Structures are given as structure tokens and as C-alpha cells.
Amino acid sequence: MINSFRLGILAVPVTGWLLLAGCGSDKTANQATTAAGTTAPADSTQTNSVAMPTSASFGKTTDGTEVQLFTLTNANGVKASITNFGGILTSLMVPDKDGKLGDVILGFDNVGGYQSPEFLKSGPYFGALIGRYGNRIKDGKFTLDGKAYTLAKNNGANTLHGGKVGFDKVVWQAEPGSSAEGQSLKLTYLSKDGEEGYPGNLNVTVVYTLTADNALKIDYTATTDKATVVNLTNHAYFNLNHGAGKDILGHEVTLPADRYNVVDAGLIPTGELRPVKGTPFDFTTPHAIGERIAQVPGGYDHNWILNTPTGQHAAATVYEPATGRTMEVTTDQPGIQFYTGNFLDGTLTGKGGTVYGKNAGFCLETQHFPDSPNQPKFPSTVLKPGETFHSVSTYKFGVRK
């Protein structure tokens, strides 16, 4: 019997899952042999009468590869734009309480912004797909099945978000699609054995879908030919009053989590799961981000342990009073990293000339816990051959009048 790690792995044959999910087939595998970054033909099984996502050039990477920007649209006029460079969510246009559309994502107008010296130095990972391992791994090393692995260190002594060249900095194969659920973009990438120090050839598929009820669903799937560790997430920075509100301190956040990971000075978990009650980490009822942030040295950048450990469950709710916009996050992951843009310092200027200063955006990264490969008491992130990692997280937008 194939064992699977809790909450992340479905121990089913790879082909069986892909058929069930409707993504990935022999045809898609053959298309993946085309040049990296090109757009694969749309699935011929899709109904031609259904509108497809649009695409346009997003510029060229520093090595001269042209990348695309794909825009998904629903009947309400909501638009999600994603580039195949890093799988980055660059823009998300959603309505406010008056029906006016506004972009709630921090980002840039072209790929150059995501490769500038200033961006690479500050490393905010705006909107990107994160892997092979999201968050930090202590000292850039772990042991698996008795073998020690050394990773690329890019966060002091630690490895952060996959290493020096994580999934956020590679060009993904892109395949736009459409179904009864909504317009979609399927992104695939082969992370080769030894990339950034991780073992195993890891085949990754991420599908973004924009639904009719104004939700952006992110569906992650991965398989490997050698035991490895996996923790996939998205690093979008949200500001539900982006363009008018310079910071997110007035946003009201609710997190259904009674505990959080205590971290050391390097933001590595100590192993303690501390109750939030009576602390500024208690978001079990709504609180403005700025209400108690001064009591947290450096600001919020911690993993909360969600109360519901299995199946799809609520992970966060956000309300922005000025616009009335709301966001509901659901996931099947055991944790969520709540980060409040503490390291943004005004050196980056994004879309519309917006200067991104401290607390200009917040992140809600659904995930397994940081440093899990070195912490046996945490839910396992090990993926073995014959198993399939599968996870779905959804960000649904609405209004409160």
C-alpha cells in the first residue's frame, strides 16, 4: 500500500488522477516537449463556443525569452491576469460596493518589473507560484530516508521559497482553457532532480480558474520519481483598496486558528504551537491589521495552524471598510502564512506609478508549516514515487454594503 502525507498527498495512480481532474493527458505530455514558455494548443475536447482567455506579450526575460500575459474573464467583468513567467498573478480586477472594478493585486505592468535589480534585491515574490518548498527551511538542509540534502541558501543561513531560482523565476508551459466552471490557465513545469538541491524530478501542474461567482481557484498537482519534499503556494500581495489606500492596516482580518507557530529571529519555527488567545495573534474574531501590529516585533509574518485540519475549510476572511470588498480564503492545507508586507520599503514602484511602502499589501499563503522537513512533529511534506500531491486553495471576492 502506498502511504501518503496528511492533507497533501493522494495516493492514487498519476494517470487516474489526471483523468479525474480533466488536466494532463498523453497529448499534453507530448506538447510539453515544445520550447519552454510557448503556449500549448487548447484542449480539443473543449467546446469551441465557450470563450477562451486572451493572451498578449508581457515582454522578454533577461535571457531573451518572450513571455505571455493571459487574462481570464467571467460574466461579471472580473478579470485575472497571469503570466507564464513564475506563474505570477499580476492583476485581479474585482468590484467594490458600488460595482466599480479595481485591481487588488500588487505588481508590475511588464515582466521587467519582476526582474529589476531593486525587485531581486528586496525579494517580495509578488504574485508568484512558490516551490519547490514554500517558506523557510532551516540552514538550507534536511535529511530524508537517511540521506542528507543541502539546498541553495538565499535567506541568510536558510532556504526561502525554493532557493535562489525557485518556481517564481522560471518560465512555465502555458495552456489556456475553458469549462463550465470558468476560464482557466494550466501551467506545467518540470523541476529536475538536483534543482536547487532538491531530490527527484518533480512534475508540477498548477491550474488557475476564474469562476462565475468571482472566485480564483488555484489547483496544484505534483508527482516525483524520487522521494522529495513539496510545499506549493501562491505569494499574491492583496490590497482591497489598492490605488487609493497606501497601506492595508485598516483591513479587517479573521483567521479560524487557535494556535500559531512561534518563530526565532530568523523566522524559523521553534516547534512550539502557541495559543493565540490573549495575544495580538488572535484573529478568531475580526481585527484590523493595524490594531495590534505594533505589539509584534517586525510585524506579522507567521504561520497560523488552522482549526480544521482536513478537507476544504475556511482559512481566512478579509473586509476592507472603504470599498466594502471582501475576500474569503478556503484551502485543504493545515496552515496559512499571514504576512503584512513588512519588508516593503518604498524602493519599488508598481502599476499606475504606485509606490509600494511598508504594509502596502498583505499575503495569505495556504501551506504546510515552515521547516517541516526538519520538524517531525509537524504534518509531513514528503512526496514519494507513486503518490500524487494535490491541493486546492480558493480566493473568493464579494462586497459588504
Side-chain angles (χ1 to χ4, degrees):
M1 179 181 293
I2 298 173
N3 293 322
S4 59
F5 76 66
R6 187 163 68 95
L7 305 169
I9 301 296
L10 298 179
V12 297
V14 175
T15 53
W17 167 255
L18 293 178
L19 287 172
L20 176 64
C23 61
S25 62
D26 290 340
K27 185 179 80 168
T28 303
N30 292 334
Q31 291 166 345
T33 63
T34 59
T38 57
T39 303
D43 189 341
S44 61
T45 62
Q46 293 165 342
T47 305
N48 292 331
S49 61
V50 178
M52 295 286 287
T54 60
S55 65
S57 174
F58 200 54
K60 292 184 177 181
T61 63
T62 52
D63 67 0
T65 302
E66 184 166 349
V67 293
Q68 301 295 308
L69 185 69
F70 300 86
T71 300
L72 318 181
T73 307
N74 70 10
N76 304 319
V78 172
K79 296 179 184 291
S81 295
I82 303 130
T83 175
N84 59 324
F85 177 75
I88 295 170
L89 175 65
T90 68
S91 174
L92 188 55
M93 301 289 293
V94 299
D96 65 9
K97 61 186 177 182
D98 298 318
K100 182 180 178 180
L101 292 173
D103 191 354
V104 297
I105 296 292
L106 275 61
F108 302 101
D109 292 316
N110 55 65
V111 72
Y114 298 94
Q115 296 187 297
S116 71
E118 295 81 8
F119 184 81
L120 295 177
K121 181 180 179 181
S122 60
Y125 299 91
F126 282 171
L129 293 178
I130 301 298
R132 175 176 308 197
Y133 196 94
N135 221 302
R136 293 168 174 84
I137 295 179
K138 185 179 181 180
D139 296 330
K141 60 185 180 182
F142 65 93
T143 299
L144 180 59
D145 293 338
K147 184 175 180 179
Y149 294 94
T150 300
L151 309 175
K153 297 178 182 179
N154 62 326
N155 186 239
N158 306 316
T159 297
L160 174 65
H161 294 331
K164 294 180 179 179
V165 184
F167 292 178
D168 59 296
K169 296 181 179 66
V170 301
V171 178
W172 294 63
Q173 178 82 12
E175 182 180 343
S178 190
S179 68
E181 192 173 22
Q183 294 184 5
S184 63
L185 180 68
K186 181 169 76 171
L187 299 170
T188 55
Y189 177 66
L190 170 61
S191 176
K192 294 183 178 180
D193 185 22
E195 184 174 297
E196 299 299 295
Y198 293 93
N201 291 297
L202 188 75
N203 282 286
V204 184
T205 298
V206 179
V207 181
Y208 286 95
T209 303
L210 180 63
T211 69
D213 60 350
N214 298 349
L216 184 66
K217 185 176 78 170
I218 310 177
D219 188 305
Y220 307 87
T221 305
T223 60
T224 184
D225 62 0
K226 185 186 296 184
T228 190
V229 294
V230 177
N231 194 23
L232 305 178
T233 191
N234 179 277
H235 211 296
Y237 285 67
F238 298 96
N239 183 334
L240 302 188
N241 195 17
H242 186 206
K246 292 183 178 180
D247 62 50
I248 43 77
L249 299 179
H251 288 55
E252 298 176 6
V253 173
T254 306
L255 301 174
D258 293 332
R259 297 174 298 163
Y260 72 101
N261 285 116
V262 177
V263 296
D264 63 18
L267 297 177
I268 296 293
T270 64
E272 180 187 355
L273 308 183
R274 184 175 295 175
V276 300
K277 187 175 182 180
T279 78
F281 293 89
D282 189 353
F283 286 91
T284 54
T285 57
H287 287 275
I289 293 174
E291 181 182 339
R292 302 164 299 174
I293 195 170
Q295 301 174 41
V296 181
Y300 295 108
D301 191 6
H302 299 73
N303 178 70
W304 273 253
I305 291 85
L306 297 169
N307 290 339
T308 304
T310 58
Q312 279 291 319
H313 51 267
T317 302
V318 184
Y319 168 60
E320 200 289 303
T323 63
R325 290 190 180 100
T326 62
M327 182 174 75
E328 298 176 358
V329 184
T330 57
T331 189
D332 49 21
Q333 292 293 285
I336 189 165
Q337 187 86 5
F338 176 40
Y339 171 57
T340 49
N342 314 314
F343 298 111
L344 298 176
D345 59 5
T347 58
L348 299 176
T349 300
K351 296 171 291 185
T354 303
V355 175
Y356 296 137
K358 186 176 183 179
N359 307 131
F362 66 91
C363 304
L364 288 167
E365 305 157 65
T366 55
Q367 60 178 13
H368 270 62
F369 305 168
D371 198 38
S372 290
N374 294 312
Q375 309 235 14
K377 292 185 179 180
F378 290 177
S380 175
T381 55
V382 175
L383 176 66
K384 296 182 177 180
E387 297 176 339
T388 297
F389 171 90
H390 181 242
S391 179
V392 176
S393 293
T394 301
Y395 299 79
K396 183 178 180 181
F397 296 86
V399 294
R400 188 184 303 172
K401 296 184 178 181

